[in-house]
Coordinates of all heavy atoms in Angstrom, one line a residue:
M286 N -35.5 -177.8 5.4 CA -34.6 -178.9 5.1 C -33.6 -179.2 6.2 O -33.0 -180.3 6.3 CB -33.8 -178.5 3.8 CG -34.7 -178.6 2.6 SD -33.8 -178.4 1.0 CE -33.0 -180.0 0.9
K287 N -33.5 -178.3 7.2 CA -32.8 -178.6 8.4 C -33.6 -179.7 9.2 O -33.0 -180.5 9.9 CB -32.6 -177.4 9.2 CG -31.5 -176.5 8.7 CD -31.3 -175.3 9.6 CE -30.2 -174.4 9.1 NZ -30.0 -173.1 10.0
A288 N -34.9 -179.6 9.1 CA -35.8 -180.6 9.8 C -35.8 -181.9 9.0 O -36.0 -183.0 9.7 CB -37.2 -180.0 10.0
S289 N -35.6 -181.8 7.7 CA -35.6 -183.1 6.9 C -34.6 -182.9 5.8 O -35.0 -182.5 4.7 CB -37.0 -183.4 6.4 OG -37.1 -184.6 5.7
P290 N -33.3 -183.2 6.0 CA -32.3 -182.9 5.1 C -32.4 -183.7 3.7 O -31.7 -183.3 2.8 CB -31.0 -183.3 5.9 CG -31.4 -183.3 7.3 CD -32.8 -183.7 7.3
T291 N -33.1 -184.8 3.7 CA -33.1 -185.6 2.5 C -34.1 -185.1 1.4 O -34.2 -185.6 0.3 CB -33.5 -187.0 2.8 OG1 -34.8 -187.1 3.5 CG2 -32.5 -187.7 3.8
L292 N -34.9 -184.0 1.8 CA -35.8 -183.5 0.8 C -35.1 -182.9 -0.4 O -34.0 -182.5 -0.4 CB -36.7 -182.4 1.5 CG -37.6 -182.8 2.6 CD1 -38.2 -181.6 3.3 CD2 -38.7 -183.7 2.1
D293 N -35.8 -182.9 -1.5 CA -35.3 -182.4 -2.8 C -35.6 -180.8 -2.8 O -36.8 -180.5 -2.8 CB -36.0 -183.1 -4.0 CG -35.6 -182.4 -5.3 OD1 -34.4 -182.7 -5.7 OD2 -36.4 -181.7 -5.9
R294 N -34.6 -180.0 -3.0 CA -34.8 -178.6 -2.8 C -35.7 -178.0 -3.9 O -36.6 -177.2 -3.6 CB -33.4 -177.9 -2.9 CG -33.6 -176.4 -3.1 CD -32.2 -175.6 -2.8 NE -31.9 -175.6 -1.4 CZ -32.4 -174.6 -0.6 NH1 -33.3 -173.7 -1.0 NH2 -32.1 -174.6 0.7
A295 N -35.5 -178.4 -5.2 CA -36.3 -177.9 -6.2 C -37.8 -178.2 -6.0 O -38.7 -177.4 -6.2 CB -35.9 -178.5 -7.6
H296 N -38.1 -179.4 -5.5 CA -39.5 -179.8 -5.2 C -40.0 -179.0 -4.0 O -41.1 -178.5 -4.1 CB -39.5 -181.3 -4.9 CG -40.9 -181.9 -4.7 ND1 -41.1 -183.2 -4.5 CD2 -42.1 -181.2 -4.7 CE1 -42.4 -183.4 -4.4 NE2 -43.0 -182.2 -4.6
Q297 N -39.2 -178.7 -3.0 CA -39.7 -178.0 -1.9 C -39.9 -176.5 -2.2 O -40.9 -175.9 -1.8 CB -38.6 -178.1 -0.7 CG -38.5 -179.5 -0.2 CD -39.8 -180.1 0.3 OE1 -40.5 -179.5 1.1 NE2 -40.2 -181.2 -0.3
E298 N -39.1 -175.9 -3.1 CA -39.4 -174.6 -3.6 C -40.7 -174.5 -4.3 O -41.5 -173.5 -4.2 CB -38.2 -174.1 -4.4 CG -36.9 -173.9 -3.6 CD -35.7 -173.5 -4.4 OE1 -35.8 -173.6 -5.7 OE2 -34.6 -173.2 -3.9
F299 N -40.9 -175.5 -5.2 CA -42.2 -175.6 -5.9 C -43.3 -175.7 -4.9 O -44.4 -175.0 -5.0 CB -42.2 -176.7 -6.9 CG -43.5 -177.0 -7.5 CD1 -43.8 -176.4 -8.7 CD2 -44.3 -177.9 -7.0 CE1 -45.0 -176.7 -9.4 CE2 -45.6 -178.3 -7.6 CZ -45.9 -177.6 -8.8
M300 N -43.2 -176.5 -4.0 CA -44.2 -176.8 -3.0 C -44.6 -175.6 -2.2 O -45.8 -175.3 -2.0 CB -43.8 -177.9 -2.0 CG -44.8 -178.3 -1.0 SD -44.3 -179.6 0.2 CE -44.2 -181.0 -0.9
L301 N -43.6 -174.8 -1.8 CA -43.8 -173.6 -1.0 C -44.7 -172.6 -1.8 O -45.7 -172.0 -1.3 CB -42.5 -173.0 -0.6 CG -42.6 -171.6 0.2 CD1 -43.4 -171.8 1.4 CD2 -41.2 -171.2 0.5
T302 N -44.3 -172.4 -3.1 CA -45.0 -171.5 -3.9 C -46.5 -171.9 -4.1 O -47.4 -171.1 -4.0 CB -44.3 -171.4 -5.3 OG1 -43.0 -170.9 -5.1 CG2 -45.1 -170.4 -6.2
E303 N -46.7 -173.2 -4.4 CA -48.0 -173.7 -4.6 C -48.9 -173.7 -3.3 O -50.1 -173.4 -3.4 CB -48.0 -175.1 -5.2 CG -47.6 -175.2 -6.7 CD -48.6 -174.5 -7.5 OE1 -49.8 -175.0 -7.6 OE2 -48.3 -173.5 -8.2
A304 N -48.3 -174.1 -2.2 CA -49.0 -174.1 -1.0 C -49.5 -172.7 -0.6 O -50.6 -172.4 -0.2 CB -48.2 -174.6 0.2
Y305 N -48.6 -171.7 -0.8 CA -49.0 -170.3 -0.6 C -50.0 -169.8 -1.5 O -50.9 -169.0 -1.1 CB -47.8 -169.4 -0.6 CG -48.0 -168.1 0.2 CD1 -48.1 -168.1 1.6 CD2 -47.9 -166.9 -0.4 CE1 -48.3 -166.9 2.3 CE2 -48.1 -165.7 0.2 CZ -48.2 -165.7 1.6 OH -48.4 -164.6 2.3
R306 N -50.0 -170.3 -2.7 CA -51.1 -169.9 -3.7 C -52.4 -170.4 -3.2 O -53.4 -169.6 -3.3 CB -50.8 -170.5 -5.1 CG -51.8 -170.2 -6.1 CD -51.5 -170.8 -7.5 NE -51.5 -172.3 -7.5 CZ -52.7 -173.0 -7.6 NH1 -53.8 -172.4 -7.7 NH2 -52.6 -174.3 -7.6
L307 N -52.5 -171.6 -2.7 CA -53.7 -172.1 -2.2 C -54.2 -171.3 -0.9 O -55.4 -171.2 -0.7 CB -53.6 -173.6 -1.8 CG -53.3 -174.5 -3.0 CD1 -52.9 -175.9 -2.4 CD2 -54.5 -174.7 -3.9
M308 N -53.2 -170.9 -0.2 CA -53.5 -170.2 1.1 C -54.0 -168.8 0.9 O -54.8 -168.2 1.7 CB -52.3 -170.1 2.0 CG -51.9 -171.4 2.5 SD -50.4 -171.3 3.5 CE -50.9 -170.5 5.0
T309 N -53.7 -168.2 -0.3 CA -54.0 -166.8 -0.6 C -55.1 -166.7 -1.6 O -55.4 -165.6 -2.1 CB -52.7 -166.0 -1.0 OG1 -52.2 -166.7 -2.2 CG2 -51.7 -165.9 0.0
A310 N -55.8 -167.8 -1.9 CA -56.9 -167.7 -2.9 C -58.1 -167.2 -2.2 O -58.3 -167.1 -1.0 CB -57.1 -169.1 -3.4
G311 N -59.1 -166.8 -3.1 CA -60.5 -166.5 -2.6 C -60.4 -165.3 -1.6 O -59.7 -164.3 -1.8
N312 N -61.2 -165.4 -0.6 CA -61.4 -164.3 0.4 C -60.2 -164.0 1.2 O -60.1 -163.0 1.9 CB -62.6 -164.6 1.3 CG -63.9 -164.4 0.5 OD1 -64.0 -163.8 -0.5 ND2 -64.9 -165.2 1.0
A313 N -59.2 -164.9 1.2 CA -57.9 -164.7 1.9 C -57.3 -163.4 1.5 O -56.5 -162.8 2.2 CB -57.0 -165.8 1.8
K314 N -57.5 -163.0 0.2 CA -56.9 -161.8 -0.3 C -57.3 -160.5 0.5 O -56.6 -159.6 0.6 CB -57.2 -161.6 -1.8 CG -56.6 -162.7 -2.7 CD -56.9 -162.4 -4.1 CE -56.3 -163.4 -5.1 NZ -56.8 -164.8 -4.9
T315 N -58.6 -160.6 0.9 CA -59.1 -159.4 1.7 C -59.3 -159.6 3.2 O -59.3 -158.7 4.0 CB -60.4 -159.0 1.1 OG1 -61.3 -160.1 1.1 CG2 -60.3 -158.5 -0.4
E316 N -59.4 -160.9 3.6 CA -59.7 -161.3 5.0 C -58.4 -161.8 5.7 O -58.4 -161.8 6.9 CB -60.8 -162.3 5.1 CG -62.1 -161.9 4.5 CD -62.7 -160.7 5.3 OE1 -62.3 -160.4 6.5 OE2 -63.7 -160.1 4.8
G317 N -57.4 -162.2 4.9 CA -56.2 -162.6 5.5 C -56.0 -164.2 5.6 O -56.9 -164.9 5.2
L318 N -54.8 -164.5 5.9 CA -54.4 -165.9 6.0 C -55.2 -166.7 7.0 O -55.6 -166.1 8.0 CB -52.9 -166.1 6.3 CG -52.0 -165.5 5.2 CD1 -50.5 -165.6 5.7 CD2 -52.1 -166.2 3.9
F319 N -55.5 -168.0 6.7 CA -56.3 -168.9 7.6 C -57.7 -168.4 7.8 O -58.4 -168.9 8.7 CB -55.6 -169.0 8.9 CG -54.3 -169.7 8.9 CD1 -53.1 -168.9 9.0 CD2 -54.1 -171.0 8.7 CE1 -51.8 -169.5 9.0 CE2 -52.9 -171.7 8.6 CZ -51.7 -170.9 8.7
W320 N -58.2 -167.6 6.8 CA -59.6 -167.2 6.9 C -60.6 -168.3 6.9 O -60.4 -169.3 6.2 CB -59.9 -166.2 5.8 CG -61.3 -165.7 5.9 CD1 -62.3 -165.8 4.9 CD2 -61.9 -164.9 6.9 NE1 -63.5 -165.2 5.3 CE2 -63.2 -164.7 6.6 CE3 -61.4 -164.4 8.1 CZ2 -64.1 -163.9 7.4 CZ3 -62.3 -163.7 9.0 CH2 -63.6 -163.5 8.6
I321 N -61.6 -168.2 7.7 CA -62.7 -169.2 7.7 C -63.9 -168.6 7.0 O -64.5 -167.6 7.4 CB -63.1 -169.6 9.2 CG1 -61.9 -170.2 9.9 CG2 -64.3 -170.5 9.2 CD1 -62.1 -170.4 11.4
D322 N -64.1 -169.1 5.8 CA -65.2 -168.6 4.9 C -66.5 -169.3 5.4 O -66.7 -170.5 5.1 CB -64.9 -168.9 3.5 CG -65.9 -168.3 2.5 OD1 -67.1 -168.1 2.9 OD2 -65.5 -168.0 1.4
P323 N -67.4 -168.5 6.0 CA -68.7 -169.2 6.5 C -69.5 -169.9 5.4 O -70.0 -170.9 5.6 CB -69.5 -168.0 7.1 CG -68.4 -166.9 7.3 CD -67.4 -167.1 6.3
A324 N -69.5 -169.2 4.2 CA -70.3 -169.8 3.1 C -69.7 -171.2 2.6 O -70.4 -172.1 2.4 CB -70.4 -168.9 1.9
A325 N -68.4 -171.2 2.6 CA -67.7 -172.4 2.2 C -67.8 -173.6 3.2 O -68.0 -174.7 2.8 CB -66.2 -172.2 1.9
M326 N -67.8 -173.1 4.5 CA -68.0 -174.1 5.5 C -69.4 -174.7 5.5 O -69.6 -175.9 5.7 CB -67.7 -173.5 6.9 CG -66.3 -173.0 7.1 SD -65.0 -174.2 6.8 CE -64.4 -173.6 5.2
K327 N -70.4 -173.9 5.3 CA -71.8 -174.3 5.3 C -72.0 -175.2 4.1 O -72.7 -176.2 4.1 CB -72.7 -173.1 5.2 CG -74.2 -173.4 5.3 CD -74.5 -174.1 6.7 CE -75.9 -174.4 6.9 NZ -76.2 -175.1 8.2
A328 N -71.4 -174.9 2.9 CA -71.6 -175.7 1.7 C -70.9 -177.1 1.9 O -71.5 -178.1 1.5 CB -70.9 -175.0 0.5
A329 N -69.8 -177.1 2.6 CA -69.1 -178.4 2.9 C -70.0 -179.2 3.8 O -70.1 -180.4 3.6 CB -67.8 -178.1 3.5
E330 N -70.6 -178.6 4.8 CA -71.5 -179.3 5.7 C -72.7 -179.9 5.0 O -73.0 -181.1 5.1 CB -72.0 -178.4 6.8 CG -72.9 -179.1 7.8 CD -74.2 -178.2 8.2 OE1 -74.5 -177.3 7.5 OE2 -74.7 -178.6 9.3
Q331 N -73.3 -179.2 4.1 CA -74.4 -179.7 3.3 C -74.0 -180.9 2.4 O -74.7 -181.9 2.2 CB -75.1 -178.6 2.5 CG -75.7 -177.5 3.3 CD -76.8 -178.0 4.2 OE1 -77.7 -178.7 3.7 NE2 -76.8 -177.6 5.5

Side-chain angles (χ1 to χ4, degrees):
M286 292 189 69
K287 284 182 181 178
S289 186
T291 60
L292 294 171
D293 176 74
R294 169 169 282 279
H296 189 174
Q297 295 307 301
E298 290 175 352
F299 173 86
M300 182 180 291
L301 177 58
T302 300
E303 283 296 296
Y305 201 65
R306 178 180 67 83
L307 296 170
M308 293 177 70
T309 56
N312 289 334
K314 293 182 178 67
T315 55
E316 299 293 345
L318 297 176
F319 295 105
W320 179 242
I321 298 173
D322 186 333
M326 299 304 104
K327 189 63 180 176
E330 181 218 20
Q331 294 300 312

